[in-house]
Each structure stands twice: as structure tokens, then as C-alpha cells.
Amino acid sequence: MSGRTRVQACPERTCIGCRQRSARDDLLRAVVIEGRCVPDPRGTLPGRGAYVHPVPACYELAVRRRAFPRAYRTQGPLDTGELARLIGRAEAQETHQT
């Protein structure tokens, strides 16, 4: 043994809202299914994914900047209601736990 430790590399992704790089586990992946932006918390759904911090500020910034259609390389607006509900629930749970 050489004495070197093997450190597992943690993949990084960029939040499409705030444009900050974070560990993949800290971000919420979303994919497009039939014109809807669907959350993919396990990261197993097929297709191009976009990553956003699971906080309302990053989500709202991504919507305002029209980052979702650009990230998925699609034309026109996408329905991001499911994603908004999930992020809103996550925020509500964090405030109730504190």
C-alpha cells in the first residue's frame, strides 16, 4: 500500500437559478415529460436533466430568467407547477422543523 487514501469524487452540478456550483446531492434534478417539468429526486428518470437548489429563491430566479426551456433545449414555456409545489413543501417542512 502506498499510504494514499482514495477519496470518492463528488460530482458537481450548476444550479440553473443562482448559477452556483454545488454537489449533485444538494440540488434537485428535474426532467421534462410531455411538456411538464417533473422533479426527479432520485435522479433516475431518463432524459436531459436540469438542477436547481430546492429553495424558492433559486426556483423563482430560474423561472424569471427562463432557464428551464434553455436548459432542456426546448421551445416555448414549460409547466413547472409540480416542481414549484415540491420546493414549496420542502421549504414549509424546513420552517416547521426549526
Side-chain angles (χ1 to χ4, degrees):
M1 303 216 58
S2 66
R4 293 186 198 178
T5 59
R6 289 189 179 234
V7 178
Q8 190 76 353
C10 182
E12 286 189 342
R13 300 291 185 262
T14 302
C15 172
I16 63 172
C18 66
R19 305 291 298 159
Q20 297 275 325
R21 291 185 62 81
S22 296
R24 182 177 62 191
D25 296 339
D26 295 339
L27 298 167
L28 176 64
R29 181 177 189 256
V31 296
V32 172
I33 298 177
E34 298 175 358
R36 294 178 304 125
C37 197
V38 179
D40 182 19
R42 292 186 350 190
T44 56
L45 291 176
R48 176 177 289 278
Y51 292 85
V52 65
H53 285 109
V55 294
C58 284
Y59 167 76
E60 290 166 8
L61 191 58
V63 169
R64 191 169 6 138
R65 294 176 55 231
R66 297 184 190 102
F68 286 106
R70 205 170 36 251
Y72 298 122
R73 299 180 183 166
T74 61
Q75 297 295 319
L78 294 170
D79 178 18
T80 58
E82 262 183 84
L83 194 58
R85 282 189 293 277
L86 179 73
I87 290 174
R89 277 193 304 231
E91 181 71 18
Q93 287 176 355
E94 285 179 12
T95 57
H96 287 299
Q97 290 177 356
T98 333

